[in-house]
Amino acid sequence: MPDRSEEGARLAFEMTLDSTPAEVRRAVDRAQRALGRFGWCEEPRRAAELVLAEALNNIVEHAYGESPEGRIHVALTATAVQADLVVCDCGGAMPDGRLPPGEPVDLEMGLHDLPEGGFGWYLIRRLADRLVYRRCGGHNRLEIRIRNAVARGSADDPA
Amino acid sequence: MQLTITEAGDPQIIRVEDGRIDSAVAIQFKDAVREAVSASATRVVLDLGHVEFIDSSGLGAIVAAMKGLSQGQRLDLAALRPMVDKVFRMTRMDTIFVIHDTVEAAQGGSGN
């Protein structure tokens, strides 16, 4: 069966933001509301919001090292069944030039040694369907595809 | 970050009034919970019924708030909305915290 998932994809939202948590919050809220206009219901919309939030938080904290001077560009193209995010920044490269593995965080320890972070890439990898990272010319480019699990169920139904 | 102590006894119930616990408020959240916790409560329940979104920073802040409790105190969670519940399950943090379906259930007993 041909992949028609990209048919009719339109730009849902585009924004250039400063590398601050407040701007990240504004961007992810706009992205999830944009998906609502493509018929995405609450649960997959929030999942997409989380993936984008984790990707942007990572850029703010690591690529730009918490400096608010950085700029990040986000573009979201969507259909009712899938969302494609392209996130670009001019911060530092990913360690070893590749995406973190996103292993599950080990919780087998005393309560007072529990980790207070490190869940971000694990969540991204659990929720995204496709991730492509490229470093070129001092830029980071991350492509994230997220399927609308709810819509896909009905779209795949031959009836 | 606004918190309301809706029940001052034991368990003490603290309601999170903000709709988001994310990286923009994670540190304030952790500090606000630590400040709100009553020294005399053996069990503290965070009512997350108003929280629509949590990210990994928010999750870390809840862990940090739990670590800030005194010995003999326990932090439970209640009334998780679907998105928040999903994040706890995916990260297996649901195995660390006692999670109650409702605040009433949290008041009723010490178990799930």
Side-chain angles (χ1 to χ4, degrees):
Chain A
M1 209 168 133
D3 181 9
R4 285 181 292 176
S5 51
E6 284 178 65
E7 232 171 61
R10 282 187 292 121
L11 184 68
F13 151 77
E14 192 171 23
M15 178 175 169
T16 301
L17 57 139
D18 295 332
S19 54
T20 66
E23 284 273 282
V24 168
R25 180 185 270 209
R26 203 160 69 88
V28 301
D29 183 56
R30 284 181 59 188
Q32 69 88 6
R33 280 190 285 124
L35 288 175
R37 292 195 291 276
F38 283 76
W40 288 46
C41 62
E42 170 95 12
E43 195 182 333
R45 223 166 63 217
R46 292 291 182 184
E49 181 180 9
L50 178 60
V51 170
L52 180 59
E54 299 297 348
L56 293 175
N57 286 340
N58 184 69
I59 293 168
V60 170
E61 290 165 28
H62 301 293
Y64 286 124
E66 316 255 8
S67 158
E69 310 291 318
R71 303 282 273 172
I72 306 167
H73 185 262
V74 180
L76 167 64
T77 311
T79 68
V81 296
Q82 109 182 6
D84 282 292
L85 286 157
V86 180
V87 182
C88 297
D89 68 82
C90 306
M94 291 279 181
D96 302 324
R98 70 181 92 145
L99 294 177
E103 304 286 353
V105 173
D106 185 8
L107 304 178
E108 303 300 319
M109 55 191 66
L111 287 186
H112 282 270
D113 295 319
L114 280 174
E116 294 174 29
F119 311 100
W121 277 100
Y122 173 72
L123 290 170
I124 292 175
R125 289 192 178 277
R126 281 286 302 267
L127 293 167
D129 277 273
R130 177 174 169 266
L131 294 167
V132 179
Y133 169 69
R134 242 171 295 167
R135 174 79 180 176
C136 54
H139 293 68
N140 295 308
R141 179 188 165 93
L142 176 63
E143 297 174 18
I144 307 169
R145 174 165 294 171
I146 301 156
R147 300 263 185 182
N148 180 350
V150 177
R152 186 171 43 177
S154 55
D156 288 348
D157 186 348
Chain B
M1 173 54 64
Q2 203 194 327
L3 305 177
T4 305
I5 297 168
T6 56
E7 177 58 59
D10 197 358
Q12 181 193 23
I13 315 276
I14 302 174
R15 188 169 67 210
V16 180
E17 303 290 359
D18 292 35
R20 308 176 71 89
I21 309 176
D22 60 14
S23 70
V25 294
I27 293 171
Q28 293 112 285
F29 172 81
K30 179 186 73 178
D31 292 345
V33 172
R34 284 185 177 185
E35 202 167 303
V37 166
S38 154
S40 58
T42 56
R43 204 155 60 88
V44 179
V45 179
L46 267 188
D47 172 1
L48 298 178
H50 291 184
V51 179
E52 293 176 322
F53 181 86
I54 190 165
D55 67 6
S56 62
S57 310
L59 197 60
I62 290 181
V63 172
M66 184 259 285
K67 289 183 185 175
L69 297 185
S70 312
Q71 210 168 10
Q73 281 188 313
R74 191 177 102 188
L75 183 67
D76 289 1
L77 308 174
L80 275 59
R81 294 169 73 127
M83 184 275 173
V84 177
D85 184 59
K86 189 173 173 177
V87 171
F88 272 83
R89 279 187 286 111
M90 279 195 299
T91 55
R92 293 183 32 255
M93 276 292 167
D94 61 338
T95 64
I96 301 296
F97 292 93
V98 175
I99 298 175
H100 306 273
D101 287 346
T102 60
V103 173
E104 291 71 31
Q107 280 168 315
S110 56
N112 221 340

